[in-house]
Amino acid sequence: MAQVEATTEQVVAADAEKVFDALADYTGTRQKLLPEHFSEYEVREGGDGEGTVVHWKLQATSKRVRDCLLDVTEPTDGELVEKDRNSSMVTTWRVTPAGEGTSRVVVTSTWQGAGGIGGFFERTFAPKGLGRIYDALLANLAAEVEK
């Protein structure tokens, strides 16, 4: 099994603190940002950054649905880490200043992929598909915080 990684980023016309606060607001803003690939969203504990436990289903393809139960931590300033209890998936959100009134948001998901031919296809196609899903989420984030 090989590690699979999907990364995407976007520059947002809002300061880093505002962008980070929107991402960390699991009881309010975060749910509004999710594209149609997410369903059954539910905050089970906390709701604001560190200590949050959140559930959703992620439909990556018409046949592939991942049931996610995530523990949220904030290991450093401007960083949210979501670790899935149901798989090896870890998603890290990094928000950094990118100039006056702008910020850069980088989201990276990693997980242990399958072996064999299935693993080859997963390593080849899953990062692009997940990248498109996160691109949509980041576009929604930009629209929300740039208001």
Side-chain angles (χ1 to χ4, degrees):
M1 293 194 308
Q3 182 165 292
V4 182
E5 180 176 304
T7 299
T8 191
E9 66 179 73
Q10 182 163 334
V11 174
V12 178
D15 67 66
E17 186 175 337
K18 181 177 183 180
V19 173
F20 182 83
D21 288 347
L23 283 171
D25 179 16
Y26 290 88
T27 57
T29 308
R30 179 60 85 91
Q31 186 173 4
K32 294 190 294 185
L33 305 177
L34 300 177
E36 67 277 1
H37 300 88
F38 294 85
S39 64
E40 299 184 31
Y41 183 93
E42 176 187 20
V43 175
R44 297 198 177 163
E45 292 177 28
D48 184 22
E50 178 88 28
T52 297
V53 177
V54 64
H55 170 267
W56 58 62
K57 288 193 176 176
L58 172 60
Q59 184 155 1
T61 68
S62 61
K63 296 179 182 176
R64 179 76 166 118
V65 178
R66 186 182 289 259
D67 189 331
C68 302
L69 183 59
L70 305 144
D71 292 303
V72 179
T73 59
E74 293 182 32
T76 62
D77 284 348
E79 185 176 69
L80 282 173
V81 177
E82 301 167 345
K83 292 184 181 177
D84 187 7
R85 292 182 186 178
N86 298 331
S87 73
S88 61
M89 181 176 269
V90 176
T91 300
T92 303
W93 301 84
R94 287 185 184 88
V95 181
T96 55
E100 186 66 35
T102 63
S103 54
R104 178 178 313 281
V105 183
V106 179
V107 56
T108 302
S109 289
T110 60
W111 66 95
Q112 290 301 314
I117 192 72
F120 168 78
F121 284 105
E122 182 180 21
R123 288 186 304 279
T124 302
F125 298 108
K128 292 178 181 112
L130 192 55
R132 282 191 295 274
I133 292 169
Y134 283 129
D135 283 341
L137 192 156
L138 291 173
N140 293 342
L141 172 65
E144 180 71 23
V145 297
E146 292 174 357
K147 290 180 182 174

